[in-house]
């Protein structure tokens, strides 16, 4: 009995730690003219979609609840009835052969969503992307008419890291442009984002060492309890390019187009951001 209670307590402890934060943000704050109506780019071919999903199911290429990964005797008809709405056909690279995209909860825990992209190579479906998160928005490339997806990976537990990756399918591989911001529903001080952003396309440069904050104010005590007293994400060197997206008083909401200084940092690891742009606030 004592052992059962211990196991039960540990199970509840794990579940208590496994929560997600700020799973949805306004795409217009981070992306210029984002599209969010995916019905405009879906390929409406239910027979083809069912055939492609059945190929994944029969060849153990998905490990969702209801597949053979959970039960060797699982039936496709039951799986498809439950998961069909989470699949969609989108021709990402504009080659007239649609990709199969899964986005949603893959198991009964229903904590983090999964984004999986399958493309066709030599007549068979192949996985080219499989990550946690959801598709926040998309854009159509003005020249090639390719579909560019914006993938939002939101934080879990005590974390506050958000990755916003632009995905493009090139030569059967996903090419990413990585962006990053901080935010939580609870446990951090400050207002993270402006009400709206503007995208002028203009670049500016820092003229001295510049601190990037997660909110448009200076907080010097308990900004993120247990993690950071101040609301500073990182410092940037002189001559770092950035774009201004919004202004509020003496503060500017920006995206930094350079690498932060490799300094001691309890908020991020600067060495991981050499090719990742970060959103935040700087003093005007």
């Amino acid at each position: 009995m004592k052992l059962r209670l211990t196991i039960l307590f540990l199970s509840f402890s794990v579940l208590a730690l496994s929560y997600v934060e700020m799973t949805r943000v306004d795409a217009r704050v981070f992306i210029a003219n984002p599209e969010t109506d995916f019905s405009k780019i879906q390929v409406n071919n239910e027979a083809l979609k069912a055939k492609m999903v059945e190929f994944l199911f029969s060849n153990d290429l998905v490990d969702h609840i209801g597949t053979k990964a959970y039960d060797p005797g699982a039936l496709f008809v039951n799986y498809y009835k439950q998961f069909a709405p989470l699949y969609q056909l989108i021709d990402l690279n504009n080659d007239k052969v649609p990709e199969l995209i899964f986005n949603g909860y893959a198991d009964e825990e229903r904590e983090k969503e999964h984004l999986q992209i399958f493309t066709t190579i030599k007549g068979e479906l192949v996985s080219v992307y499989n990550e946690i998160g959801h598709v926040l928005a998309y854009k159509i490339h003005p020249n090639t008419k390719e579909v560019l997806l914006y993938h939002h990976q939101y934080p879990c537990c005590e974390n506050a890291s958000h990755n916003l990756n632009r995905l493009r399918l090139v030569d059967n591989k996903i090419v990413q442009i990585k962006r990053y911001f901080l935010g939580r529903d609870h446990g951090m001080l400050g207002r993270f984002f402006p009400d709206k952003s503007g995208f002028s396309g203009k670049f500016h440069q820092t003229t001295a060492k510049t601190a990037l904050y997660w909110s448009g104010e200076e907080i010097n005590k308990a900004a993120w309890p247990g993690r950071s007293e101040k609301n500073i994400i990182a410092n940037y060197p002189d001559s770092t390019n950035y774009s201004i997206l919004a202004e509020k008083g003496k503060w500017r909401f920006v995206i930094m187009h350079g690498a932060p200084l490799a300094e001691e940092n309890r908020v991020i690891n600067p060495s991981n951001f050499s090719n990742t742009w970060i959103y935040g606030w700087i003093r005007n």
Side-chain angles (χ1 to χ4, degrees), residues 31-235:
I31 306 165
N33 303 313
E35 296 283 352
T36 56
D37 184 356
F38 287 87
S39 66
K40 293 181 179 180
I41 57 172
Q42 288 177 355
V43 176
N44 295 313
N45 189 331
E46 180 59 33
L48 177 61
K49 185 175 85 167
K51 181 180 178 180
M52 295 171 82
V53 176
E54 186 171 15
F55 177 86
L56 300 181
F57 181 90
S58 300
N59 290 278
D60 291 332
L61 295 177
V62 283
D63 57 359
H64 309 156
I65 187 74
T67 64
K68 295 178 181 180
Y70 280 79
D71 178 9
L75 298 176
F76 173 71
V77 64
N78 296 333
Y79 169 77
Y80 195 68
K81 182 178 180 180
Q82 179 180 355
F83 282 91
L86 302 181
Y87 283 97
Q88 54 186 322
L89 297 176
I90 298 176
D91 187 1
L92 296 181
N93 55 357
N94 193 30
D95 67 349
K96 311 307 177 186
V97 180
E99 277 62 51
L100 179 66
I101 298 173
F102 173 89
N103 196 194
Y105 298 100
D107 53 45
E108 70 276 8
E109 293 180 359
R110 297 186 65 82
E111 291 166 1
K112 285 192 173 184
E113 296 152 282
H114 290 252
L115 172 61
Q116 296 173 273
I117 301 174
F118 301 89
T119 194
T120 302
I121 301 176
K122 295 181 179 179
E124 292 192 353
L125 282 177
V126 176
S127 174
V128 292
Y129 195 75
N130 185 3
E131 297 289 345
I132 297 295
H134 77 106
V135 181
L136 177 66
Y138 71 92
K139 295 181 75 170
I140 304 295
H141 194 286
N143 298 322
T144 65
K145 305 306 178 184
E146 296 165 276
V147 177
L148 311 176
L149 300 180
Y150 287 84
H151 175 212
H152 177 208
Q153 295 175 295
Y154 42 80
C156 171
C157 314
E158 298 300 322
N159 205 343
S161 296
H162 295 254
N163 295 291
L164 183 58
N165 304 322
R166 197 199 76 174
L167 310 180
R168 183 180 183 184
L169 182 63
V170 180
D171 295 330
N172 296 323
K173 295 181 180 179
I174 293 293
V175 177
Q176 300 184 51
I177 292 179
K178 298 181 179 181
R179 302 176 183 180
Y180 177 92
F181 58 90
L182 287 175
R184 287 178 60 83
D185 296 314
H186 314 89
M188 290 174 72
L189 299 182
R191 185 177 179 186
F192 301 104
F193 320 122
D195 291 330
K196 59 182 180 178
S197 293
F199 298 85
S200 67
K202 295 181 180 179
F203 284 80
H204 304 264
Q205 279 193 337
T206 58
T207 56
K209 180 179 178 180
T210 301
L212 182 69
Y213 297 76
W214 69 62
S215 58
E217 61 202 307
E218 186 175 328
I219 303 173
N220 293 309
K221 186 175 181 181
W224 187 358
R227 189 73 171 263
S228 178
E229 290 294 302
K230 299 182 178 182
N231 62 325
I232 296 176
I233 300 173
N235 288 304

